[in-house]
Amino acid sequence: NAGVMQNPRHLVRRRGQEARLRCSPMKGHSHVYWYRQLPEEGLKFMVYLQKENIIDESGMPKERFSAEFPKEGPSILRIQQVVRGDSAAYFCASSPDRGKSETQYFGPGTRLLVL
Amino acid sequence: EDQVTQSPEALRLQEGESSSLNCSYTVSGLRGLFWYRQDPGKGPEFLFTLYSAGEEKEKERLKATLTKKESFLHITAPKPEDSATYLCAVQALTQGGSEKLVFGKGTKLTVNP
């Protein structure tokens, strides 16, 4: 049973370019979450999605960041016109349909470096 | 605002030296408290979920406990392979349907042979 998959694992972009991060949830999971981890900081929630719906985007920066989870294919976190401050590890997590409190299982992350 | 504070920030133990990590939290209503382990360059690995005060869960050398204000992760007779950063997170009861986790900054554990 494959875990959460993320690609690429490492991504280098120059300032002003776009970054696209992909996440495939675990089989049978319909909830996807994106978190960001800055150096020496804790994991910070960004956005929570279900298929074709954004449920909670309270942690997303207002500009340049967007996320989607289409009916078919992986979830995408898109960062437009990247700046050096976007350099961080971005983690995706998934959970199955709702129960008491469903555990979120994390992928290996994408490490974004903005030059 | 929901908050999680972990202490200590870093902990060095000798192999076999038992200790505890602390996670203090404030949350409007607790839906679940989670412990994860994170190795360098990897994603968080799930360890435990606790739902209510008084609950305890064990896995090998690890035991997690929960009170109304904090959780402890007890490590009994640790081995060098237990070296990692241990993360605590809470999930709040919400009407809006959000299931976001609020994380602490973690405790970096080093176990020397």
Side-chain angles (χ1 to χ4, degrees):
Chain A
N1 186 15
V4 177
M5 294 167 56
Q6 291 188 248
N7 64 80
R9 295 291 306 277
H10 300 272
L11 183 62
V12 179
R13 286 287 179 265
R14 296 193 180 279
R15 281 178 295 170
Q17 291 184 320
E18 179 179 287
R20 282 190 178 225
L21 287 61
R22 288 177 290 278
C23 168
S24 296
M26 288 177 69
K27 188 176 180 181
H29 287 194
S30 57
H31 301 244
V32 166
Y33 315 81
W34 285 93
Y35 293 84
R36 177 164 64 175
Q37 189 172 42
L38 293 165
E40 307 304 320
E41 293 288 327
L43 281 153
K44 301 291 185 187
F45 169 79
M46 299 181 74
V47 62
Y48 161 39
L49 311 104
Q50 295 178 22
K51 285 286 187 182
E52 300 185 281
N53 286 304
I54 296 175
I55 308 301
D56 179 2
E57 57 181 345
S58 59
M60 286 280 269
K62 298 298 181 190
E63 298 178 348
R64 303 187 297 109
F65 285 72
S66 62
E68 62 177 7
F69 189 16
K71 188 176 181 180
E72 301 291 338
S75 176
I76 305 288
L77 179 67
R78 182 182 177 202
I79 311 172
Q80 294 178 294
Q81 299 176 329
V82 296
V83 302
R84 288 205 173 129
D86 296 333
S87 296
Y90 292 82
F91 292 96
C92 169
S94 72
S95 68
D97 280 341
R98 204 169 293 182
K100 185 176 182 179
S101 177
E102 294 300 342
T103 297
Q104 295 179 20
Y105 295 89
F106 283 79
T110 293
R111 279 144 189 88
L112 172 66
L113 176 62
V114 180
L115 301 176
Chain B
E1 183 179 338
D2 303 332
Q3 275 193 315
V4 176
T5 302
Q6 291 188 248
S7 62
E9 290 184 12
L11 181 63
R12 284 186 176 272
L13 299 173
Q14 289 298 122
E15 185 171 2
E17 180 186 1
S18 301
S19 187
S20 294
L21 313 183
N22 177 265
C23 170
S24 298
Y25 65 90
T26 55
V27 65
S28 50
L30 183 68
R31 190 166 180 223
L33 184 140
F34 300 80
W35 282 99
Y36 289 86
R37 167 191 172 131
Q38 187 174 25
D39 292 294
K42 296 190 176 181
E45 175 188 344
F46 170 71
L47 294 173
F48 304 108
T49 308
L50 301 166
Y51 296 106
S52 55
E55 190 174 0
E56 299 182 351
K57 287 193 177 172
E58 286 188 68
K59 179 181 178 181
E60 296 181 356
R61 294 178 292 281
L62 299 177
K63 178 180 174 181
T65 61
L66 181 65
T67 72
K68 287 187 177 180
K69 293 187 177 181
E70 55 192 351
S71 176
F72 293 94
L73 185 64
H74 308 277
I75 303 177
T76 302
K79 298 182 178 181
E81 53 260 44
D82 294 323
S83 297
T85 296
Y86 290 85
L87 303 174
C88 173
V90 296
Q91 188 178 62
L93 289 165
T94 62
Q95 291 186 330
S98 178
E99 300 184 354
K100 68 179 181 183
L101 297 178
V102 176
F103 279 87
K105 291 188 177 182
T107 293
K108 185 176 180 180
L109 174 66
T110 303
V111 181
N112 296 315

